[in-house]
């Protein structure tokens, strides 16, 4: 069974803080993704990575950065958290095959005050 | 226009009834299609892939209509446990492994 874990289920931060969200997968998948999910907007892709040290912007990368130093770990960084980044953040991974399904982590609910 | 559109619902369904809903996609180059299920405050999980010939998994049937660019999901003999949000997901060949998600259709099965 593929397992995707995220460092926190719930997180409360203050405006301006630097926030790190960690995601780890244990199935040696090449591709990893960070999404945010908001009511009425569905899942939106922030960043993704096809390999170690590689990253590509998704649909809404502004205000975020990522890091992939090891294959199993993909980190999302909010350099200076803002209230409009309050959201549910979901990490996903997939083997390198096109058309395969993504496996999601349990999500991190981030509240920025 | 959104790339993948779904009726947000909710669809209120009596237990034991059949419910069906569609999802439309705008890009004709879309290649792979999936239905995911998401329970409240949980992560999305794959329900089923959707194949050109249509496919069935127990009480769930998925269909793809490429000419009209939509996919459908039908749930027969609805159970209370089928209450969830159903996400339509589309992958374009040129997009590699990037998936585009619909906003989800909420289904509430009531006794």
């Amino acid at each position: 069974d593929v397992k995707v874990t995220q460092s926190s289920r719930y997180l409360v931060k203050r405006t301006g803080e630097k926030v790190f969200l960690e995601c780890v997968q244990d199935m040696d998948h090449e591709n990893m993704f960070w999404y945010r999910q908001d009511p009425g907007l569905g899942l939106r892709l922030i960043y993704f990575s096809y390999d170690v040290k590689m990253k590509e912007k998704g649909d809404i990368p502004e205000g975020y950065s990522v890091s992939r130093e090891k294959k199993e770990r993909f980190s999302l960084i909010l350099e200076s958290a803002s209230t409009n980044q309050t959201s549910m953040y979901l990490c996903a991974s997939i083997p390198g095959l096109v058309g395969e399904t993504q496996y999601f982590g349990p999500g991190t609910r981030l509240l920025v005050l | 226009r959104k790339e993948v559109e779904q009726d947000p619902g909710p669809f209120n369904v009596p237990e034991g009834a059949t419910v069906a809903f569609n999802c439309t996609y705008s890009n004709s180059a879309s290649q792979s299609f999936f239905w995911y299920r998401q329970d409240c405050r949980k992560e999305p999980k794959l329900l089923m892939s959707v194949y050109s010939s249509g496919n069935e998994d127990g009480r769930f049937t998925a269909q793809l209509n490429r000419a009209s660019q939509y996919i459908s999901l039908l749930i027969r003999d609805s159970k209370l446990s089928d209450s969830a949000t159903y996400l339509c997901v589309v992958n374009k060949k040129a997009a590699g492994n990037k998936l585009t998600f619909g906003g989800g259709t909420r289904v509430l099965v009531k006794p």
Side-chain angles (χ1 to χ4, degrees):
Chain A
D1 239 12
V2 176
K3 196 168 181 185
V4 182
T5 57
Q6 294 183 228
S7 49
S8 305
R9 293 300 301 272
Y10 300 94
L11 211 51
V12 181
K13 295 290 181 181
R14 295 208 175 273
T15 301
E17 279 193 76
K18 191 168 186 175
V19 182
F20 293 87
L21 303 182
E22 301 282 335
C23 174
V24 178
Q25 49 93 3
D26 66 358
M27 285 300 292
D28 203 36
H29 287 172
E30 281 85 5
N31 307 297
M32 296 186 75
F33 304 79
W34 274 106
Y35 297 89
R36 64 179 282 177
Q37 186 174 29
D38 302 287
L41 297 175
L43 272 86
R44 294 179 291 166
L45 182 63
I46 304 171
Y47 266 97
F48 61 104
S49 169
Y50 285 141
D51 204 349
V52 176
K53 296 195 185 295
M54 292 184 67
K55 60 186 179 185
E56 291 202 33
K57 293 180 180 179
D59 300 317
I60 51 162
E62 296 79 18
Y64 303 94
S65 62
V66 289
S67 171
R68 186 133 181 236
E69 296 297 317
K70 293 185 178 182
K71 192 174 186 179
E72 68 270 18
R73 188 180 298 268
F74 192 34
S75 303
L76 180 69
I77 303 153
L78 287 65
E79 295 289 342
S80 177
S82 63
T83 54
N84 63 12
Q85 291 180 309
T86 291
S87 186
M88 167 75 132
Y89 289 88
L90 288 156
C91 174
S93 76
I94 187 172
L97 302 173
V98 174
E100 288 292 316
T101 185
Q102 292 188 352
Y103 297 89
F104 284 87
T108 296
R109 286 196 174 274
L110 173 66
L111 172 62
V112 182
L113 299 174
Chain B
R1 185 187 169 188
K2 289 182 182 176
E3 202 167 332
V4 179
E5 291 204 72
Q6 295 183 250
D7 183 336
F11 284 62
N12 294 301
V13 184
E15 193 175 7
T18 295
V19 62
F21 42 89
N22 294 339
C23 159
T24 58
Y25 60 94
S26 60
N27 194 317
S28 59
S30 299
Q31 182 184 33
S32 305
F33 307 89
F34 308 91
W35 282 106
Y36 277 67
R37 171 197 169 121
Q38 186 172 25
D39 294 301
C40 190
R41 298 184 174 274
K42 297 283 184 102
E43 74 273 21
K45 291 185 179 177
L46 179 68
L47 178 67
M48 57 198 302
S49 301
V50 186
Y51 304 118
S52 296
S53 54
N55 48 301
E56 194 173 301
D57 184 0
R59 298 181 292 106
F60 297 83
T61 301
Q63 297 276 357
L64 167 62
N65 186 316
R66 283 194 185 273
S68 300
Q69 294 186 199
Y70 73 87
I71 66 172
S72 64
L73 182 66
L74 182 146
I75 308 173
R76 281 185 303 276
D77 187 23
S78 298
K79 311 289 184 194
L80 296 177
S81 58
D82 293 334
S83 296
T85 296
Y86 292 85
L87 303 173
C88 171
V89 185
V90 172
N91 169 267
K92 295 190 299 286
K93 186 174 183 179
N97 283 319
K98 283 174 60 178
L99 301 179
T100 302
F101 288 78
T105 295
R106 193 165 171 222
V107 172
L108 295 172
V109 181
K110 301 189 173 179

